[in-house]
Structure formats: C-alpha cells, structure tokens
Amino acid sequence: MTDGPTYGFDTLQIHAGARPDPATGARQTPIHQSTAFVFRDSDHAAALFNLQEVGFIYSRLTNPTIAVLQERIATLENGVGAVCCSSGHAAQIMALFPLMQPGCNVVASNRLYGGTITQFSQTIKRFGWSAKFVDIDDTEALAEAIDENTRAVFCESIANPGGHIADLPAIAAVADDAGIPLIVDNTTATPYLCNPISLGATLVVHSTTKYLTGNGTVTGGCVVDSGKFDWSANDKFPSMSAPEPAYHGLKFHETFGPLAFTFHSIAIGLRDLGMTMNPQAAHYTLMGIETLSLRMQRHVENATDLAEWLEGHDAVDYVTYAGLKSSPYYARMAKICPKGASALFTISLKGGYDACVKLVDSLEIFSHVANLGDARSLIIHPASTTHRQLTVEQQTAAGAGPSIVRLSIGIEDIQDLKGDLDRALNAAGK
Ligand SMILES: *Cc1c(COP(=O)(O)O)cnc(C)c1O
C-alpha cells in the first residue's frame, strides 16, 4: 500500500506495509522463512553492507515478513519507522541502547509492569546504566530527578495492572525542557486506544506478545520512532550524532535524518545484540493486528461492564479500573485514551489472601496464567505467584497486596464471564 495518510485505522491495521507479493501474487503476506537473501551481484552486496541501499541481507537484521510488521506498527503509531525484536523486554533494551552509555540513567515511573521494574532496577546495572523511579504524576519530582546524566524518561501510557493513566503531554513537556526523549510503553493501551507520539512521546515500545498479537501465541516486541527528536541538539547522544567507527565514521543522524534511530537499531542494535524476532512470530502478530480495533472495542466494553458490576459485588472491596467513574484517573481518559482504558485491572477481595486463592481455583472460563492481553480472559493472584518473593509491604507498594487479584478481560460473552466470576466469588467468600 502506498502512503495513505487519509486512510482510517481499520483500513491501516489490515493494509499498512503490505502489498500483494510481486513474485507470486500472494494476497496474504508470505512468511519468508529464510535466513539469508541472495545478492544481485557484488556491487549490490557492497551497497547493502555500506547502508547505501536498503534491502535484505540476513534475518538477524532484516526480513521481508518482519519488515511488513514494522511498517504496519509504525503507521498505526504515527511513527516514521519501527524495529521489531524478540520480546517486550528486548524492545526496552533496544530503545535504551542507542541513548545510553555507562554512567547514564533513565528516569522511570514507579508504576510499571513488574518485570520492567526488575529489568530497570537490577539487570541494566550490568551495562553501567541505572534507573531512578518517581511518581510520574508529580511533574516537579520528575524534573528534579533528571540530572546531567539522564538520557530518557520512561512510563506506560496505561500502567499494567491498570488504574493509572499517565498525563503524557505534561510528562513530555518536562522531558522536552531537559532535552531528552520520552519513551512510552503503549502495550496495555495499544495504538487503537492511545497515540503517545501525538501526545509528545519520542519513542513508543510494545510487548507485541499482548493485545497486538491478541491470541497468546508468540512473544515479540517493537520500538517505534516518532522521527521528531533532534539527536544533534547537544552532545548527549553520540551514537546518533557522532561518527560511528563500525561504519567508517558514518553519522546516523546526519545521514538518515528522522530515520536515524530506526537505522541505528537495525544496523547496530539487531546486528550486535541479536534480539531478533522470527518471521513466524511476525506472521502471527500481523494476523492479530488485522482485528485489533474490533477486539479492543469488545475488550473495553466487557471490562467496563464487569468492573462496574464487580464494584457492587458483596465479595469485592474495591476495583482499580480507570474506566470507572470512581477512578481518580477517569478524567484523564478523555485526553489520553478517549476510546477506553483497556481491559486490565485489579480487584481487592474482602476475604483477603485465602479468598483470592479460592477465586482463582474456582473459575472455569478465566485461566490462571502469567499473561495478559489475550482474546481469552485471564486471572492471576500476584501475592502467591509473580510477587511471591516480596514482603507484604513491598507487595502492597506495588499494588499487589495479599487481597489483590489481576484480571485481563477477554472478548467472550459478557454473561458467561459474569456468571463464571459470580460463581467463583461466591465460592471464595464461603
Ligand atoms: C508483558 C509486558 C512487558 C514485557 O513484554 P514481554 O513480551 O513479556 O517481554 C513490558 N511491558 C508491559 C506493560 C507488559 O505488559
């Protein structure tokens, strides 16, 4: 499909980046299950290796099926380019890698997916990087946390496990003032519900494992670049602005302009870190994205209905869903994600830890798994699983206290989901 800025989301989620296969006429994007691609001749090979021509060399760097997915996600997110990788966590490293050097830090929201808190507070230290966590609603604290070694601000548009929507324009203004990029994890919201780039984000990261694929089949990640950041405005981002020794002194920003980040991520990031997506995974994710808007509409509809009903249930103490009028973040929906607050939230049970465990074990339709954003409804009790190693104080601070369960609402019949939850809640209460 040619650049069609006038096409709507539902059209783009099916067509962006794809066209009938020129060799065979195949209408669906073929799975190019090939490690390497034949060069036309030695001059062609040299041009590809010099980054003078764009093409396919070896599937650690580029692959035609993955290229379609990259263009599709970039289009849906209003970015200029995207790079796919092996998981959402890989995408986070791929987003930080061109920005950071030993001694540099990222200022991150303290309300993040638990795995990201661990990656940022522990693992990135091995690279000589560090993270400072702040309450992202407190823009003064955010501005104060940024120092001369800070290279990015990181937050989630709708925080996993739900209940918090970030005021992206306010956060972007602080990052802009400091001359550093804002990276937004848009996994929970998806580009259908929220467009972080139009709200000031420089980079958007995704775990495509979740709603984008939407069927619980493959792990994957993606980094989308807005193309708007001036990497040469100061000397903070030498990977972009200074000569690159591995490419005969090529300067990425000077040479590739708004595509500098994307080219760097492929030519250096994927080449040397090797966190590559495979073509089969790209295929499943492309299949999923074709129905993204339809699924998200149903996810939001079911989640809103269930959250309202659960709020009035005898066994339930409270519900943290931003789509509820009782949520302190309800008012932000209109500005950040007007079509809804996704379908992930927590509930607190009056019966505490024991009731949570009984609830999880009594459900039939809801599956007890450590995943979210699937077409099927999922549940987890963090205190007895993902957050088991933490003290009760740490669990509570993370919004995962002993009486909390996390629900990821699927797209099944609402009366079946309600019936399943009602039966299990009543069983758990006894
Ligand atoms: C799952 C998740 C991740 C990590 O993604 P993986 O694909 O599991 O590596 C990051 N951020 C959020 C918000 C997530 O839900």
Side-chain angles (χ1 to χ4, degrees):
M1 211 163 111
T2 51
D3 290 340
T6 56
Y7 290 120
F9 193 96
D10 292 0
T11 304
L12 293 171
Q13 73 184 355
I14 294 169
H15 292 285
R19 62 196 171 109
D21 182 51
T24 62
R27 178 60 273 213
Q28 189 48 277
T29 300
I31 306 170
H32 290 280
Q33 201 69 63
S34 184
T35 307
F37 300 87
V38 179
F39 307 121
R40 287 195 302 271
D41 53 35
S42 301
D43 287 343
H44 178 222
L48 288 175
F49 276 94
N50 276 341
L51 300 181
Q52 286 157 338
E53 196 177 315
V54 177
F56 303 106
I57 299 176
Y58 183 68
S59 283
R60 175 162 23 87
L61 298 105
T62 49
N63 172 282
T65 310
I66 295 166
V68 172
L69 177 60
Q70 287 172 162
E71 194 173 332
R72 185 156 312 163
I73 299 176
T75 304
L76 296 179
E77 286 286 6
N78 288 319
V80 295
V83 58
C84 283
C85 38
S86 52
S87 71
H89 270 0
Q92 291 164 193
I93 297 297
M94 288 284 292
L96 291 175
F97 177 67
L99 316 181
M100 305 282 272
Q101 294 171 84
C104 290
N105 68 69
V106 52
V107 175
S109 167
N110 58 9
R111 293 188 206 83
L112 295 175
Y113 172 70
T116 306
I117 300 252
T118 307
Q119 186 188 55
F120 283 7
S121 61
Q122 309 294 333
T123 304
I124 65 171
K125 284 190 200 154
R126 313 279 179 96
F127 306 145
W129 310 344
S130 61
K132 299 189 214 178
F133 295 96
V134 296
D135 175 354
I136 208 78
D137 277 339
D138 185 346
T139 45
E140 271 174 37
L142 172 62
E144 266 169 40
I146 295 171
D147 63 34
E148 73 273 16
N149 293 320
T150 304
R151 292 294 178 272
V153 174
F154 188 101
C155 69
E156 294 175 8
S157 44
I158 303 180
N160 174 357
H164 180 268
I165 296 174
D167 187 354
L168 296 178
I171 298 164
V174 176
D176 278 353
D177 279 349
I180 55 173
L182 168 63
I183 307 173
V184 176
D185 182 337
N186 203 30
T187 300
T188 306
T190 80
Y192 179 67
L193 297 177
C194 175
N195 187 239
I197 287 174
S198 71
L199 299 170
T202 303
L203 302 173
V204 174
V205 296
H206 275 284
S207 166
T208 59
T209 315
K210 315 289 173 50
Y211 291 107
L212 289 184
T213 303
N215 46 45
T217 46
V218 288
T219 60
C222 187
V223 188
V224 183
D225 181 19
S226 64
K228 290 179 182 164
F229 195 83
D230 182 0
W231 304 108
S232 306
N234 51 47
D235 57 5
K236 286 184 174 170
F237 304 100
S239 294
M240 298 296 176
S241 60
E244 170 57 48
Y247 278 105
H248 308 300
L250 174 139
K251 294 179 183 171
F252 275 87
H253 190 209
E254 191 180 283
T255 307
F256 300 111
L259 280 167
F261 183 92
T262 305
F263 270 84
H264 189 278
S265 290
I266 293 168
I268 310 279
L270 286 182
R271 186 195 66 185
D272 296 346
L273 300 176
M275 301 167 164
T276 307
M277 179 180 270
N278 68 74
Q280 192 80 35
H283 166 72
Y284 286 120
T285 304
L286 281 165
M287 294 299 92
I289 291 177
E290 291 191 350
T291 57
L292 180 66
S293 64
L294 305 177
R295 287 185 288 108
M296 292 317 291
Q297 284 162 21
R298 177 65 82 86
H299 277 297
V300 166
E301 210 177 286
N302 279 357
T304 308
D305 192 328
L306 280 179
E308 280 169 2
W309 172 75
L310 283 164
E311 216 176 21
H313 198 284
D314 282 348
V316 176
D317 192 10
Y318 61 86
V319 181
T320 65
Y321 181 53
L324 285 173
K325 293 197 180 68
S326 60
S327 164
Y329 297 101
Y330 183 78
R332 256 185 213 163
M333 237 173 44
K335 185 159 106 180
I336 308 295
C337 50
K339 295 198 211 73
S342 198
L344 190 66
F345 58 85
T346 61
I347 58 176
S348 176
L349 295 193
K350 288 177 186 161
Y353 187 99
D354 293 341
C356 290
V357 172
K358 271 192 215 147
L359 169 70
V360 166
D361 286 339
S362 310
L363 286 160
E364 274 177 21
I365 298 173
F366 281 78
S367 302
H368 184 199
V369 298
N371 190 22
L372 59 100
D374 197 325
R376 64 216 89 231
S377 292
L378 313 173
I379 188 166
I380 196 156
H381 179 222
S384 62
T385 56
T386 51
H387 291 63
R388 213 191 153 90
Q389 319 305 342
L390 305 185
T391 64
V392 172
E393 289 71 39
Q394 287 172 316
Q395 289 171 354
T396 307
S403 61
I404 302 285
V405 290
R406 184 186 78 188
L407 303 172
S408 173
I409 307 301
I411 58 175
E412 301 98 330
D413 285 295
I414 186 70
Q415 68 272 21
D416 294 339
L417 297 180
K418 231 178 246 182
D420 196 29
L421 278 171
D422 196 35
R423 266 190 307 276
L425 280 168
N426 292 335
K430 281 184 200 133

